[in-house]
Amino acid sequence: MPSNAFYAQSGGVSAVINASACGVIETARKHASRIGRVYAGRDGIIGALTEDLIDTSAEDRSAIAALRHTPGGAFGSCRYKLKGLEENRAQYERLIEVFRAHDIRFFFYNGGGDSMDTANKVSQIGERLGFPLVCVGIPKTVDNDLSVTDNCPGFGSVAKYIAVSIREAGLDVLSMARTSTKVFVLEVMGRHAGWIAASAGLAGKKPHEPPHIILFPEITFDEAAFQARVKECVERYGYCVIAVSEGVRNPDGKFLAEAGTRDAFGHAQLGGVGQVVAEMIRRAHGYKFHWALADYLQRSARHIASKVDAEQAYAVGKAAVQLAVAGENAVMPTIERVSQKPYRWRVGSAKLADVANREKKLPGSYITADGFGITPACRRYLEPLIQGEAYPPYEGGLPKYVQLRNKAVRKKLGTRFAL
Amino acid sequence: MPSNAFYAQSGGVSAVINASACGVIETARKHASRIGRVYAGRDGIIGALTEDLIDTSAEDRSAIAALRHTPGGAFGSCRYKLKGLEENRAQYERLIEVFRAHDIRFFFYNGGGDSMDTANKVSQIGERLGFPLVCVGIPKTVDNDLSVTDNCPGFGSVAKYIAVSIREAGLDVLSMARTSTKVFVLEVMGRHAGWIAASAGLAGKKPHEPPHIILFPEITFDEAAFQARVKECVERYGYCVIAVSEGVRNPDGKFLAEAGTRDAFGHAQLGGVGQVVAEMIRRAHGYKFHWALADYLQRSARHIASKVDAEQAYAVGKAAVQLAVAGENAVMPTIERVSQKPYRWRVGSAKLADVANREKKLPGSYITADGFGITPACRRYLEPLIQGEAYPPYEGGLPKYVQLRNKAVRKKLGTRFAL
């Protein structure tokens, strides 16, 4: 007799997390002898805790297929980290209670490092409570900071968006620099790891091509060196395009964004780090500037998703189910780089325990000696990840994204659970 | 004997202004008996004043063809408005001097309302100085605020970018709203006219679909009504997505962005209007927010250009040359809407005098009674303009944009001209 599966999206969503969902659901449907229904958590793991499950079998084939090109989290995601096993055992016991009530024996958790940790714990507690579950993590993070896997689904599309945007805005600024804006700053995501900032570097290969400066969270901000470089760029190329990670820190360890700048009256000015950096330049050199804050646009931009990324996102969803039906427990599919040129990859797997809570930062060898650019090694690593376009279908000039019915599964437990 | 043509890009560039340049150059090459070489002004009209001309005949056919899908201003543009004829006659005389030296009898000026005014004046002064020129304006403005023409090349692509971005970011926020961001604000361009803000409205058709609120420069900001609407959206839909024009003003007539907000210490906080609005909401309701500032990204995003827009941009460049060789002077090609469904358009023409310095704002009938949305009439007007995708070619995961050689024409005048 088949038993059911639970799938949940966790943490910040991406342009391709639904492609992973699609991989899970389509593959599960092919293993009907082992997996009955795939229930999704409404708003992530919260859906499991509150017994608010979505019956994905109520969606027809074309709606599920459309997940492959739809950004955001189709079932809802959440920022809700389960506590430690001993700290809040009740949460884990509740999960098992709900899973038991709905005959859920497969647990698929689609998220980043924290989520892999949670999936690992769920696997342990199931065992202990006499309700063994097959728990498989599915990697997803735009930050690309998961260890063990060569790269992480979600990242390649952000990288492509940022590189394309820098190239395009760079041409704009170049045309106007003589009489107008000379400095353009794009603030990008990545509070702890500079992978997204590094991807801006793909936009240009030669020194005169934007971005002229990248500020990484891994490199302590050195204002004097930075200002000198900005001046040099403007004098040499006529303009300066900068990509700055939201996670850049001052020598005192504070985020540059938080440190802020002071106005003429000594008052702190708040704002994104892009604005802080741009204002700083204006004060030092008087250059006219513009700045942009891509924010959620960068991680939801399915219209310019990387084909490689979209395919890998689907593949890890598919592989998760294959691993599960093969009886592999407490594992996560990974992306392995088989060859560099031509780029070839395959899906491997890793123990959740080896992935959980380990953050992969940009290695020192990927950042140029001056701290303002990416090395050829970094470029070689990043380039394959933005290859190919995976355009969504359009209708009336706009991408045709699916919104699922998200039909609720009838509750079997009378109990409520306080989050 | 053919004489030469001068072409210049003026003001802020767009994703498709080079498509107009392509239309001019390709069409001029077909009229070799009338037009010798097309000289482009380096950095716009400044190139004419300083006798810094670019010989476009040095570019091969494929490079010129690639302009059709390359954003920014390939020859450079500038923000440099010629003064009134009587105020600074020397500027106009200098133009004629340079044109005479290089046997330039055709003047193509690719820009907005100010530029059409300049082109008109150049036409008049040529006549008076005994050097008659055929002056043709070519419409370009992302703001869509040119009169006479049904719409303006450059706008449709920004409109598409904004509508797509709102749709995508909306899906992102929707998935996370339960435990994270509930309010998302996207700041868009348009200091005086709300056309770009209105285009955000294309992203959704039903009340629950983003954007839930649009703030137009044409509507005085009413904070109480706005805050009530935000609350209503969050309570009804779980989230609220807002598009705000940089030009929104308070009842006192000041830009909301300039008015700023005050922090806990009463200090003015600077920032974009998007940030001002987002902070205002957080204070009133405590909702977690994110905001984005697309800035130049929106007007350079050739990767998601509207096909209709790209085609119209080319068409007005082409028509400008056709008008010129037909002896039409002091005119501008326009876009005429022939039919609505199916959308059909053709190129017409208007007198520069009728276009110059007249700003077309969003009509009252395009804004809903509450001031927060677009009407069906507005949607009918806007929808055709974002139709079709005109993807650029890609190489290595990135759009392959052309950078011209921009070979200088040998100077014939020994004189310098102070800008």
Side-chain angles (χ1 to χ4, degrees), chain A residues 43 73 77 79 160 167-168 172 175 178-179 181 290 293 295-296 299 301 303-304 387 394 396-397 399 401, chain B residues 43 73 77 79 160 167-168 172 175 178-179 181 290 293 295-296 299 303-304 387 389 394 396-397 399 401:
Chain A
D43 300 320
S77 182
R79 292 202 185 281
K160 188 174 182 105
R167 177 167 286 187
E168 293 180 330
D172 185 306
S175 3
R178 182 153 167 192
T179 57
T181 302
H290 263 243
L293 174 63
D295 195 67
Y296 288 160
R299 75 176 197 194
H303 73 272
I304 188 65
Q387 296 304 306
Y394 277 70
Y401 295 138
Chain B
D43 300 320
S77 182
R79 295 204 182 279
K160 189 175 182 104
R167 176 166 288 187
E168 293 179 331
D172 185 306
S175 8
R178 182 153 168 194
T179 55
T181 301
H290 263 243
L293 174 64
D295 196 66
Y296 288 160
R299 75 176 198 197
H303 73 273
I304 188 66
Q387 296 304 307
E389 295 66 56
Y394 278 71
Y401 296 137

Side-chain angles (χ1 to χ4, degrees), chain B residues 25 63 119 125 160 168 171 248 272 322 351 355 411:
Chain B
I25 296 166
I125 195 78
K160 189 175 182 104
E168 293 179 331
L171 287 173
V248 173
Q322 292 171 331
K351 291 272 167 210
V355 185
K411 300 195 182 201

Side-chain angles (χ1 to χ4, degrees), chain A residues 10-79:
Chain A
S10 176
V13 294
S14 80
V16 298
I17 184 173
N18 287 333
S20 294
C22 179
V24 167
I25 296 166
E26 288 187 347
T27 311
R29 288 182 177 185
K30 286 181 186 154
H31 289 88
S33 65
R34 300 291 310 283
I35 300 178
R37 287 166 188 243
V38 176
Y39 295 143
R42 194 183 306 274
D43 300 320
I45 197 74
I46 287 179
L49 292 170
T50 59
E51 205 196 349
D52 194 354
L53 306 176
I54 291 166
D55 187 357
T56 69
S57 66
E59 312 289 342
D60 65 28
R61 196 180 296 197
S62 67
I64 294 300
L67 287 177
R68 207 159 166 161
H69 62 251
T70 298
F75 308 107
S77 182
C78 65
R79 292 202 185 281

Side-chain angles (χ1 to χ4, degrees), chain B residues 85-103:
Chain B
L85 257 177
E86 304 316 317
E87 223 179 319
N88 197 339
R89 204 178 163 88
Q91 287 180 330
Y92 293 90
E93 288 175 350
R94 170 64 174 183
L95 284 183
I96 301 302
E97 184 191 12
V98 171
F99 291 165
R100 197 189 296 265
H102 292 274
D103 192 26

Side-chain angles (χ1 to χ4, degrees), chain B residues 34-352:
Chain B
R34 301 290 312 282
I35 300 177
R37 285 165 189 244
V38 177
Y39 295 144
R42 193 183 306 274
D43 300 320
I45 197 72
I46 287 178
L49 292 168
T50 58
E51 205 196 350
D52 194 353
L53 306 176
I54 291 165
D55 188 355
T56 69
S57 67
E59 311 290 343
D60 63 30
R61 195 180 299 195
S62 65
I64 295 300
L67 287 177
R68 208 159 166 162
H69 63 250
T70 298
F75 308 108
S77 182
C78 65
R79 295 204 182 279
Y80 187 85
K81 196 186 170 186
L82 268 71
K83 298 204 178 110
L85 257 177
E86 304 316 317
E87 223 179 319
N88 197 339
R89 204 178 163 88
Q91 287 180 330
Y92 293 90
E93 288 175 350
R94 170 64 174 183
L95 284 183
I96 301 302
E97 184 191 12
V98 171
F99 291 165
R100 197 189 296 265
H102 292 274
D103 192 26
I104 289 166
R105 295 277 180 172
F106 300 95
F107 176 67
F108 299 106
Y109 208 29
N110 202 170
D114 282 354
S115 308
M116 297 306 114
D117 183 48
T118 299
N120 199 32
K121 284 177 181 145
V122 170
S123 155
Q124 292 161 20
I125 195 78
E127 199 75 48
R128 275 196 245 166
L129 294 175
F131 188 77
L133 279 160
V134 176
C135 295
V136 180
I138 304 170
K140 175 279 319 172
T141 161
V142 296
D143 292 322
N144 201 39
D145 60 356
L146 274 187
S147 61
V148 185
T149 186
D150 178 69
N151 62 287
C152 196
F155 168 67
S157 294
V158 180
K160 189 175 182 104
Y161 174 91
I162 294 296
V164 170
S165 297
I166 284 279
R167 176 166 288 187
E168 293 179 331
L171 287 173
D172 185 306
V173 180
L174 169 63
S175 8
M176 305 289 299
R178 182 153 168 194
T179 55
S180 182
T181 301
K182 286 189 169 43
V183 171
F184 178 72
V185 181
L186 175 62
E187 175 176 334
V188 306
M189 286 181 162
R191 207 136 253 253
H192 304 293
W195 296 103
I196 296 178
S199 68
L202 294 173
K205 281 191 179 168
K206 295 171 193 154
H208 69 87
E209 293 173 340
H212 305 103
I213 301 176
I214 302 174
L215 297 177
F216 301 96
E218 285 87 355
I219 304 288
T220 300
F221 183 64
D222 174 346
E223 186 178 349
F226 171 70
Q227 295 284 19
R229 175 59 64 90
V230 171
K231 190 159 179 275
E232 190 194 335
C233 288
V234 172
E235 287 173 357
R236 189 171 298 177
Y237 313 125
Y239 70 127
C240 183
V241 172
I242 300 161
V244 53
S245 163
E246 58 178 342
V248 173
R249 287 166 195 266
N250 275 323
D252 63 5
K254 279 189 189 156
F255 286 125
L256 207 54
E258 280 173 8
T261 53
R262 307 247 152 212
D263 65 15
F265 309 98
H267 303 152
Q269 291 184 358
L270 302 180
V273 66
Q275 187 172 19
V276 168
V277 163
E279 268 291 336
M280 204 179 262
I281 294 168
R282 187 188 58 73
R283 254 166 241 178
H285 308 293
Y287 299 140
K288 194 186 169 197
F289 69 85
H290 263 243
W291 76 288
L293 174 64
D295 196 66
Y296 288 160
L297 270 49
Q298 73 199 280
R299 75 176 198 197
S300 60
R302 182 61 186 77
H303 73 273
I304 188 66
S306 151
K307 186 158 183 272
V308 163
D309 189 37
E311 284 171 358
Q312 292 179 340
Y314 183 87
V316 293
K318 177 181 172 183
V321 173
Q322 292 171 331
L323 287 166
V325 297
E328 299 262 2
N329 186 17
V331 295
M332 178 191 90
T334 58
I335 306 296
E336 293 178 358
R337 188 175 298 223
V338 179
S339 76
Q340 182 67 34
K341 260 194 174 179
Y343 174 62
R344 281 209 300 270
W345 58 277
R346 68 172 170 235
V347 176
S349 76
K351 291 272 167 210
L352 284 176

